[in-house]
Each structure stands twice: as C-alpha cells, then as structure tokens.
Amino acid sequence: MLGGVLEDVRVNDRLTIPAAELSWRFSRSGGPGGQGVNTTDSRVELSWDLAGSPLLPTALRERALARLESRLVHGVLTVVASEHRSQLRNREAAAARLAALVASAVAPPPQARRATRPTRGSVERRIAGKKRRGETKKNRRSYPTD
C-alpha cells in the first residue's frame, strides 16, 4: 500500500524536507504484535530522492551524496522502521531517522586539527616517570647488574 502521509520532516533550523518529496511505503512487519501481526501494515519505509531534490544547494547536495553514497540507491535515500507495533510510531521513528541521517550528512566538516608539540615540562615529567619506573624494576632484581 502506498500512502501519502502529509507531514514535513524537519532536519534542522534551516532545513525541512517537504512532504511532497517524501515517499512512504507500508508493509507487514516481523516481530512482536500479537494477533494483529499478520494483518497490520506496521513496517514503514520512508524514501527521499536526495539527488533529484531541488531543496538543497549544490554544495550541500554534493556533500550529502558523498557521505551517504553507501546508503543510496540511484540517488534515493531510504530508511526503514519496524521496531514498534504501531504504524504511527514507526512513521515517527522513520522520520526521525531520516532527519538525523540528513543532518549529519549536510553538517560542515569538523575543523582541522592543528598539530602541537608537547611542552618541555611535560616531556621532562614523562621521562622522569619512566626513569622512576625503571629504578623500581631494577630494585626488584635479586642480583646486582652494575
């Protein structure tokens, strides 16, 4: 059954995926459900055409496509939710999962690490500690080595 769930998915403060670009699909879910498990379509697949969407600027789209390339099938991102017994809760879980994936994919790259050197004091403390440890081990020996 194909359904038209009319709700936008809010990714972050600046980005909301309109309901018109989303494709919902419902099917029977495995797992818990009691007597209704074989009769209710509680499993939810939520798809969004990332490559074809005019929503994202070119730079963000390319970044998202590169980061999500292992999850995309012909440019379409699909998430599945079937952990809840009710279709409504699975819809909410799928929407939250899609929002989290897209948010992490369009996030700016982390700031590059600036290489630093250890201070002279920290180097001296480290070496002094190593010498103390060596002395401790040397004093455990039963025969003199010097």
Side-chain angles (χ1 to χ4, degrees):
M1 171 180 135
L2 287 171
V5 179
L6 300 173
E7 57 186 47
D8 299 342
V9 174
R10 187 168 184 266
V11 175
N12 56 31
D13 294 337
R14 299 180 188 175
L15 183 62
T16 301
I17 303 171
E21 292 190 19
L22 298 173
S23 170
W24 297 86
R25 195 165 150 243
F26 308 104
S27 59
R28 292 195 181 131
S29 173
Q35 292 176 329
V37 74
N38 293 324
T39 59
T40 57
D41 291 340
S42 60
R43 181 177 182 267
V44 175
E45 285 184 33
L46 175 58
S47 300
W48 179 49
D49 187 2
L50 174 60
S53 174
L55 182 67
L56 295 174
T58 307
L60 285 182
R61 183 181 303 113
E62 288 174 2
R63 181 187 300 162
L65 287 171
R67 289 184 179 171
L68 295 173
E69 72 177 330
S70 64
R71 294 195 58 124
L72 298 176
V73 177
H74 303 296
V76 177
L77 177 63
T78 303
V79 293
V80 176
S82 63
E83 61 267 15
H84 302 290
R85 289 174 59 166
S86 88
Q87 186 188 95
L88 179 63
R89 290 187 62 197
N90 281 329
R91 281 190 210 169
E92 292 166 355
R97 205 168 291 160
L98 179 73
L101 271 173
V102 174
S104 65
V106 299
Q111 200 170 21
R113 182 190 176 279
R114 184 184 303 167
T116 57
R117 291 180 55 164
T119 62
R120 186 190 310 173
S122 68
V123 171
E124 289 173 0
R125 284 190 298 274
R126 182 178 61 86
I127 291 174
K130 288 167 75 91
K131 286 188 189 230
R132 261 194 317 276
R133 182 73 177 146
E135 280 296 318
T136 302
K137 289 185 170 193
K138 186 174 161 188
N139 291 336
R140 288 182 190 155
R141 295 182 189 151
S142 58
Y143 57 89
T145 56
D146 296 16

